[in-house]
Amino acid sequence: MKVKRDNRVVILVICIILICVVTSLGFKTHGEVEEIVQEQFNEQQLLLARQAALGIAGFADERVTIIEILARDRSGDEIANLTRCFKTIYEETSGFYSIEFIDTNGVVVYGYPEYRAPVGYDLYAENRSSAFDSARDLRKTKISSPTPLFEGGLGSFIWVPVYKGEEFRGVILAIIRMSTITDRFLAPIMQNRTGYVYMIDHNGKSLYDGARREAIGKNYIKMLNENSTSEGWLEILNEQINGSEGTAVYLKERDNESKSEQIVAYAPVRWRDEIWSVAISVPASEVDHLIRSVYARQMIFLGTVIAIILGGSLGLIAMFSRWNKTLEAEVKSKTSDMIRMNKELLLANERLKELDKLKSDFVSMVSHELKTPLAAMRTSAQVLNMGGAGEETKREMMDIILRNIDRQTNLVNDLLDLSRIESGRMDLKIGSVSLDSVIADSIESVKQAVSEKGIKLNVEIPEGIALVKGDREKLTQVVINLLNNAIKFTPRSGEISIKARELNGQVEVKVSDTGIGIPPEDLDKVFDKFYQVDSTLTREAGGTGLGLAICKGIIEAHNGHIWAESEFGRGSTFIFRLAKCD
Ligand code: ADP
């Protein structure tokens, strides 16, 4: 049990340590993850701004180039031929608000579409000729800062001079509508996203503002100087005006006077001499959102790892407790084996003690059985030796001597029989034996003792009882032995009966008496050698305790079976069964 608990504690401690390590690693990488997510987010915003800026620059430049090619290729044409091309360019190239031709005097003479062309408009008269002058004098395209259009919105004015050799013929003024550019390149960036996009020119003027339409055309820097609500934005605008690119954070004033952090990624739009700047401004909470989703995934991963560790640990504990159970069961069975063996040892010890007692009893019995007849014989011999004894006395003495010689011979024969039985050297002269005659012979040899004790002897043997296979002499010895015991342990005027019958292919012989009986616990033991029931009557009756052991030996050598039944104090019955002849 202790080992089991120890194992569990060790596993639990390891499990807790592992969970702590995994959790602390998780938290350690937490900060790093935050940084990486932030960096990647900024990088991504910058990339978007850069892409938009490149798109815008390409788009605008392309339109300028088209007009420049027209001005170069058609510089020698009639003005009417030149302006005829405006329609085609306008229709086939998106983004133009109008394309106009201004003659050498600075007067608009043609434009397409016509309804947008202020034909007759005199730049000099309106004091708006500086860009025209610059294009003419420098012989180079002039782009003026986007200005409000008549129809609303902003337009970028591109002044392309037309020279036929050294002869100045006028200026093509192409106006690119700013909303075409912003609708195409800036508006889609913020679809399905929070935040907004804006674009400024090199003066800080708003060319586009996805969040505040009203700001378009106004100067942010001026606005900020008048009403500074957003901390850090001015610095960003300055960076943009300088044509830098990068990401930065500023605090934006919200309607409810609280401030929200904004991440701005900005990139310059460089085309010709123009420098504009595109900026994507998104709330910092969007990154938090991303970080939270990364955290959530990290947490799921952490949870899974912890669950695996816990599961593994519980599995190990279960495995250990199964092992322990098996061990316990083994120990239990070994212990019960040991207890059983111990009991068997104790029993064997008891048995040895009994045997030892039997041995001592045997020694004293044998010495008694040897000494008694010897003493009797010696006394009788001395009487005979003294002489002068009458004939009667001499006969009596001789009788005593002969009886005791018989007694000793019987004892020696019994011992020899027993030793032969035990060593398996008993020779059986097997033949077909009639138990009828065996019983008759046995009765004949005990007849005198029966009558001396006044015992009534009943014999019941069915006529023609089957023969058995066996040694006639030995079987007679068994029956005589059983009869002698019955006589010995039956009081005067008792009854002895001897019966035989056939039963299931066997012949059964039963010797019953009305004697002292045998206690139930001794019924099996009486067949052990030297065993005598411990009672006064047995002791008085004398004997060696060998008779029944020899009977059992003889019957079992015939493959038969012998046992005793008794009602203690009322009599005993000894039964044996032998196979009958085929
Ligand atoms: P012995 O008779 O020489 O003592 P046995 O082996 O013949 O030896 O008998 C063993 C014991 O069995 C006897 O001492 C006696 O206690 C008991 N016994 C045998 N036969 C009878 C019987 N018919 N009635 C009562 N006890 C008997």
PDB file of all heavy atoms in Angstrom, residues 188-210:
ATOM      1  N   PRO A 188     -10.647  50.482 -51.761  1.00  0.00           N
ATOM      2  CA  PRO A 188     -10.801  49.030 -51.508  1.00  0.00           C
ATOM      3  C   PRO A 188      -9.984  48.515 -50.324  1.00  0.00           C
ATOM      4  O   PRO A 188     -10.301  47.473 -49.761  1.00  0.00           O
ATOM      5  CB  PRO A 188     -10.293  48.385 -52.805  1.00  0.00           C
ATOM      6  CG  PRO A 188     -10.265  49.464 -53.815  1.00  0.00           C
ATOM      7  CD  PRO A 188     -10.050  50.743 -53.080  1.00  0.00           C
ATOM      8  N   ILE A 189      -8.932  49.231 -49.945  1.00  0.00           N
ATOM      9  CA  ILE A 189      -8.055  48.729 -48.857  1.00  0.00           C
ATOM     10  C   ILE A 189      -8.852  48.505 -47.579  1.00  0.00           C
ATOM     11  O   ILE A 189      -8.654  47.543 -46.862  1.00  0.00           O
ATOM     12  CB  ILE A 189      -6.907  49.734 -48.577  1.00  0.00           C
ATOM     13  CG1 ILE A 189      -6.028  49.859 -49.813  1.00  0.00           C
ATOM     14  CG2 ILE A 189      -6.064  49.275 -47.379  1.00  0.00           C
ATOM     15  CD1 ILE A 189      -4.888  50.850 -49.657  1.00  0.00           C
ATOM     16  N   MET A 190      -9.811  49.408 -47.319  1.00  0.00           N
ATOM     17  CA  MET A 190     -10.483  49.350 -46.038  1.00  0.00           C
ATOM     18  C   MET A 190     -11.810  48.595 -46.056  1.00  0.00           C
ATOM     19  O   MET A 190     -12.540  48.636 -45.092  1.00  0.00           O
ATOM     20  CB  MET A 190     -10.709  50.789 -45.526  1.00  0.00           C
ATOM     21  CG  MET A 190      -9.503  51.307 -44.787  1.00  0.00           C
ATOM     22  SD  MET A 190      -9.085  50.194 -43.429  1.00  0.00           S
ATOM     23  CE  MET A 190      -7.339  50.379 -43.368  1.00  0.00           C
ATOM     24  N   GLN A 191     -12.065  47.933 -47.183  1.00  0.00           N
ATOM     25  CA  GLN A 191     -13.325  47.192 -47.216  1.00  0.00           C
ATOM     26  C   GLN A 191     -13.312  46.096 -46.159  1.00  0.00           C
ATOM     27  O   GLN A 191     -12.335  45.345 -46.041  1.00  0.00           O
ATOM     28  CB  GLN A 191     -13.521  46.577 -48.602  1.00  0.00           C
ATOM     29  CG  GLN A 191     -14.462  47.432 -49.444  1.00  0.00           C
ATOM     30  CD  GLN A 191     -14.420  47.047 -50.895  1.00  0.00           C
ATOM     31  OE1 GLN A 191     -14.030  45.949 -51.249  1.00  0.00           O
ATOM     32  NE2 GLN A 191     -14.819  47.981 -51.746  1.00  0.00           N
ATOM     33  N   ASN A 192     -14.380  45.989 -45.385  1.00  0.00           N
ATOM     34  CA  ASN A 192     -14.517  44.994 -44.305  1.00  0.00           C
ATOM     35  C   ASN A 192     -13.466  45.121 -43.216  1.00  0.00           C
ATOM     36  O   ASN A 192     -13.110  44.151 -42.578  1.00  0.00           O
ATOM     37  CB  ASN A 192     -14.459  43.558 -44.867  1.00  0.00           C
ATOM     38  CG  ASN A 192     -15.462  43.347 -45.963  1.00  0.00           C
ATOM     39  OD1 ASN A 192     -16.568  43.900 -45.909  1.00  0.00           O
ATOM     40  ND2 ASN A 192     -15.088  42.592 -46.973  1.00  0.00           N
ATOM     41  N   ARG A 193     -12.950  46.310 -43.016  1.00  0.00           N
ATOM     42  CA  ARG A 193     -11.956  46.502 -41.953  1.00  0.00           C
ATOM     43  C   ARG A 193     -12.279  47.765 -41.187  1.00  0.00           C
ATOM     44  O   ARG A 193     -12.951  48.670 -41.697  1.00  0.00           O
ATOM     45  CB  ARG A 193     -10.552  46.650 -42.549  1.00  0.00           C
ATOM     46  CG  ARG A 193      -9.986  45.342 -43.058  1.00  0.00           C
ATOM     47  CD  ARG A 193      -8.546  45.525 -43.430  1.00  0.00           C
ATOM     48  NE  ARG A 193      -7.723  45.883 -42.270  1.00  0.00           N
ATOM     49  CZ  ARG A 193      -6.451  46.246 -42.374  1.00  0.00           C
ATOM     50  NH1 ARG A 193      -5.875  46.308 -43.540  1.00  0.00           N
ATOM     51  NH2 ARG A 193      -5.765  46.540 -41.293  1.00  0.00           N
ATOM     52  N   THR A 194     -11.778  47.831 -39.961  1.00  0.00           N
ATOM     53  CA  THR A 194     -11.936  49.092 -39.239  1.00  0.00           C
ATOM     54  C   THR A 194     -10.704  49.942 -39.547  1.00  0.00           C
ATOM     55  O   THR A 194      -9.653  49.404 -39.893  1.00  0.00           O
ATOM     56  CB  THR A 194     -12.019  48.855 -37.717  1.00  0.00           C
ATOM     57  OG1 THR A 194     -10.971  47.969 -37.373  1.00  0.00           O
ATOM     58  CG2 THR A 194     -13.341  48.283 -37.298  1.00  0.00           C
ATOM     59  N   GLY A 195     -10.839  51.246 -39.407  1.00  0.00           N
ATOM     60  CA  GLY A 195      -9.727  52.134 -39.722  1.00  0.00           C
ATOM     61  C   GLY A 195     -10.021  52.875 -41.018  1.00  0.00           C
ATOM     62  O   GLY A 195     -11.097  52.732 -41.594  1.00  0.00           O
ATOM     63  N   TYR A 196      -9.088  53.663 -41.478  1.00  0.00           N
ATOM     64  CA  TYR A 196      -9.312  54.434 -42.703  1.00  0.00           C
ATOM     65  C   TYR A 196      -7.993  54.717 -43.400  1.00  0.00           C
ATOM     66  O   TYR A 196      -6.914  54.523 -42.835  1.00  0.00           O
ATOM     67  CB  TYR A 196     -10.053  55.732 -42.377  1.00  0.00           C
ATOM     68  CG  TYR A 196      -9.246  56.700 -41.560  1.00  0.00           C
ATOM     69  CD1 TYR A 196      -8.619  57.795 -42.174  1.00  0.00           C
ATOM     70  CD2 TYR A 196      -9.103  56.546 -40.193  1.00  0.00           C
ATOM     71  CE1 TYR A 196      -7.876  58.697 -41.442  1.00  0.00           C
ATOM     72  CE2 TYR A 196      -8.351  57.431 -39.438  1.00  0.00           C
ATOM     73  CZ  TYR A 196      -7.734  58.504 -40.059  1.00  0.00           C
ATOM     74  OH  TYR A 196      -6.991  59.372 -39.337  1.00  0.00           O
ATOM     75  N   VAL A 197      -8.125  55.177 -44.656  1.00  0.00           N
ATOM     76  CA  VAL A 197      -6.942  55.496 -45.461  1.00  0.00           C
ATOM     77  C   VAL A 197      -7.002  56.990 -45.780  1.00  0.00           C
ATOM     78  O   VAL A 197      -8.079  57.540 -45.952  1.00  0.00           O
ATOM     79  CB  VAL A 197      -6.964  54.699 -46.785  1.00  0.00           C
ATOM     80  CG1 VAL A 197      -5.713  54.993 -47.596  1.00  0.00           C
ATOM     81  CG2 VAL A 197      -7.057  53.222 -46.509  1.00  0.00           C
ATOM     82  N   TYR A 198      -5.848  57.594 -45.791  1.00  0.00           N
ATOM     83  CA  TYR A 198      -5.818  58.982 -46.282  1.00  0.00           C
ATOM     84  C   TYR A 198      -4.573  59.185 -47.130  1.00  0.00           C
ATOM     85  O   TYR A 198      -3.637  58.382 -47.077  1.00  0.00           O
ATOM     86  CB  TYR A 198      -5.892  59.994 -45.125  1.00  0.00           C
ATOM     87  CG  TYR A 198      -4.694  60.001 -44.201  1.00  0.00           C
ATOM     88  CD1 TYR A 198      -3.576  60.798 -44.505  1.00  0.00           C
ATOM     89  CD2 TYR A 198      -4.669  59.254 -43.036  1.00  0.00           C
ATOM     90  CE1 TYR A 198      -2.489  60.837 -43.671  1.00  0.00           C
ATOM     91  CE2 TYR A 198      -3.575  59.283 -42.191  1.00  0.00           C
ATOM     92  CZ  TYR A 198      -2.482  60.072 -42.501  1.00  0.00           C
ATOM     93  OH  TYR A 198      -1.408  60.086 -41.673  1.00  0.00           O
ATOM     94  N   MET A 199      -4.626  60.287 -47.974  1.00  0.00           N
ATOM     95  CA  MET A 199      -3.458  60.576 -48.807  1.00  0.00           C
ATOM     96  C   MET A 199      -3.255  62.102 -48.795  1.00  0.00           C
ATOM     97  O   MET A 199      -4.219  62.857 -48.836  1.00  0.00           O
ATOM     98  CB  MET A 199      -3.700  60.086 -50.243  1.00  0.00           C
ATOM     99  CG  MET A 199      -2.505  60.336 -51.146  1.00  0.00           C
ATOM    100  SD  MET A 199      -2.605  59.332 -52.647  1.00  0.00           S
ATOM    101  CE  MET A 199      -3.893  60.177 -53.528  1.00  0.00           C
ATOM    102  N   ILE A 200      -1.993  62.510 -48.672  1.00  0.00           N
ATOM    103  CA  ILE A 200      -1.702  63.953 -48.659  1.00  0.00           C
ATOM    104  C   ILE A 200      -0.708  64.284 -49.765  1.00  0.00           C
ATOM    105  O   ILE A 200      -0.022  63.384 -50.272  1.00  0.00           O
ATOM    106  CB  ILE A 200      -1.118  64.396 -47.293  1.00  0.00           C
ATOM    107  CG1 ILE A 200       0.136  63.579 -46.960  1.00  0.00           C
ATOM    108  CG2 ILE A 200      -2.132  64.260 -46.177  1.00  0.00           C
ATOM    109  CD1 ILE A 200       0.906  64.121 -45.768  1.00  0.00           C
ATOM    110  N   ASP A 201      -0.669  65.551 -50.112  1.00  0.00           N
ATOM    111  CA  ASP A 201       0.379  65.945 -51.064  1.00  0.00           C
ATOM    112  C   ASP A 201       1.581  66.477 -50.281  1.00  0.00           C
ATOM    113  O   ASP A 201       1.597  66.394 -49.052  1.00  0.00           O
ATOM    114  CB  ASP A 201      -0.154  66.959 -52.087  1.00  0.00           C
ATOM    115  CG  ASP A 201      -0.416  68.319 -51.450  1.00  0.00           C
ATOM    116  OD1 ASP A 201      -0.171  68.452 -50.220  1.00  0.00           O
ATOM    117  OD2 ASP A 201      -0.860  69.223 -52.176  1.00  0.00           O
ATOM    118  N   HIS A 202       2.564  67.013 -50.959  1.00  0.00           N
ATOM    119  CA  HIS A 202       3.797  67.391 -50.264  1.00  0.00           C
ATOM    120  C   HIS A 202       3.631  68.618 -49.367  1.00  0.00           C
ATOM    121  O   HIS A 202       4.549  69.018 -48.678  1.00  0.00           O
ATOM    122  CB  HIS A 202       4.944  67.591 -51.268  1.00  0.00           C
ATOM    123  CG  HIS A 202       4.670  68.705 -52.233  1.00  0.00           C
ATOM    124  ND1 HIS A 202       3.964  68.493 -53.399  1.00  0.00           N
ATOM    125  CD2 HIS A 202       4.980  70.013 -52.200  1.00  0.00           C
ATOM    126  CE1 HIS A 202       3.861  69.643 -54.038  1.00  0.00           C
ATOM    127  NE2 HIS A 202       4.471  70.590 -53.323  1.00  0.00           N
ATOM    128  N   ASN A 203       2.414  69.219 -49.392  1.00  0.00           N
ATOM    129  CA  ASN A 203       2.186  70.354 -48.484  1.00  0.00           C
ATOM    130  C   ASN A 203       1.388  69.944 -47.252  1.00  0.00           C
ATOM    131  O   ASN A 203       1.147  70.741 -46.358  1.00  0.00           O
ATOM    132  CB  ASN A 203       1.396  71.451 -49.201  1.00  0.00           C
ATOM    133  CG  ASN A 203       2.232  72.054 -50.306  1.00  0.00           C
ATOM    134  OD1 ASN A 203       3.416  72.349 -50.093  1.00  0.00           O
ATOM    135  ND2 ASN A 203       1.646  72.216 -51.488  1.00  0.00           N
ATOM    136  N   GLY A 204       0.962  68.728 -47.241  1.00  0.00           N
ATOM    137  CA  GLY A 204       0.141  68.293 -46.110  1.00  0.00           C
ATOM    138  C   GLY A 204      -1.325  68.451 -46.429  1.00  0.00           C
ATOM    139  O   GLY A 204      -2.175  68.286 -45.570  1.00  0.00           O
ATOM    140  N   LYS A 205      -1.664  68.712 -47.699  1.00  0.00           N
ATOM    141  CA  LYS A 205      -3.057  68.874 -48.080  1.00  0.00           C
ATOM    142  C   LYS A 205      -3.672  67.489 -48.277  1.00  0.00           C
ATOM    143  O   LYS A 205      -3.055  66.595 -48.843  1.00  0.00           O
ATOM    144  CB  LYS A 205      -3.146  69.687 -49.379  1.00  0.00           C
ATOM    145  CG  LYS A 205      -4.582  69.992 -49.757  1.00  0.00           C
ATOM    146  CD  LYS A 205      -4.661  71.137 -50.728  1.00  0.00           C
ATOM    147  CE  LYS A 205      -4.449  70.677 -52.144  1.00  0.00           C
ATOM    148  NZ  LYS A 205      -4.527  71.797 -53.093  1.00  0.00           N
ATOM    149  N   SER A 206      -4.908  67.360 -47.785  1.00  0.00           N
ATOM    150  CA  SER A 206      -5.570  66.059 -47.893  1.00  0.00           C
ATOM    151  C   SER A 206      -6.065  65.840 -49.310  1.00  0.00           C
ATOM    152  O   SER A 206      -6.833  66.627 -49.850  1.00  0.00           O
ATOM    153  CB  SER A 206      -6.751  66.000 -46.918  1.00  0.00           C
ATOM    154  OG  SER A 206      -7.538  64.875 -47.233  1.00  0.00           O
ATOM    155  N   LEU A 207      -5.602  64.761 -49.942  1.00  0.00           N
ATOM    156  CA  LEU A 207      -6.073  64.413 -51.283  1.00  0.00           C
ATOM    157  C   LEU A 207      -7.189  63.378 -51.181  1.00  0.00           C
ATOM    158  O   LEU A 207      -7.994  63.212 -52.077  1.00  0.00           O
ATOM    159  CB  LEU A 207      -4.919  63.839 -52.109  1.00  0.00           C
ATOM    160  CG  LEU A 207      -3.709  64.758 -52.280  1.00  0.00           C
ATOM    161  CD1 LEU A 207      -2.652  64.080 -53.133  1.00  0.00           C
ATOM    162  CD2 LEU A 207      -4.121  66.078 -52.919  1.00  0.00           C
ATOM    163  N   TYR A 208      -7.188  62.688 -50.064  1.00  0.00           N
ATOM    164  CA  TYR A 208      -8.232  61.680 -49.845  1.00  0.00           C
ATOM    165  C   TYR A 208      -8.286  61.409 -48.355  1.00  0.00           C
ATOM    166  O   TYR A 208      -7.280  61.387 -47.652  1.00  0.00           O
ATOM    167  CB  TYR A 208      -7.899  60.377 -50.585  1.00  0.00           C
ATOM    168  CG  TYR A 208      -8.875  59.261 -50.307  1.00  0.00           C
ATOM    169  CD1 TYR A 208     -10.144  59.258 -50.896  1.00  0.00           C
ATOM    170  CD2 TYR A 208      -8.547  58.221 -49.462  1.00  0.00           C
ATOM    171  CE1 TYR A 208     -11.048  58.243 -50.631  1.00  0.00           C
ATOM    172  CE2 TYR A 208      -9.440  57.197 -49.190  1.00  0.00           C
ATOM    173  CZ  TYR A 208     -10.696  57.204 -49.780  1.00  0.00           C
ATOM    174  OH  TYR A 208     -11.573  56.216 -49.511  1.00  0.00           O
ATOM    175  N   ASP A 209      -9.505  61.192 -47.839  1.00  0.00           N
ATOM    176  CA  ASP A 209      -9.649  60.807 -46.439  1.00  0.00           C
ATOM    177  C   ASP A 209     -10.877  59.930 -46.327  1.00  0.00           C
ATOM    178  O   ASP A 209     -12.003  60.390 -46.496  1.00  0.00           O
ATOM    179  CB  ASP A 209      -9.788  62.060 -45.554  1.00  0.00           C
ATOM    180  CG  ASP A 209      -9.629  61.692 -44.078  1.00  0.00           C
ATOM    181  OD1 ASP A 209     -10.198  60.646 -43.676  1.00  0.00           O
ATOM    182  OD2 ASP A 209      -8.935  62.428 -43.356  1.00  0.00           O
ATOM    183  N   GLY A 210     -10.645  58.638 -46.125  1.00  0.00           N
ATOM    184  CA  GLY A 210     -11.740  57.658 -46.073  1.00  0.00           C
ATOM    185  C   GLY A 210     -12.681  57.884 -44.915  1.00  0.00           C
ATOM    186  O   GLY A 210     -13.822  57.422 -44.944  1.00  0.00           O
TER     187      GLY A 210
END
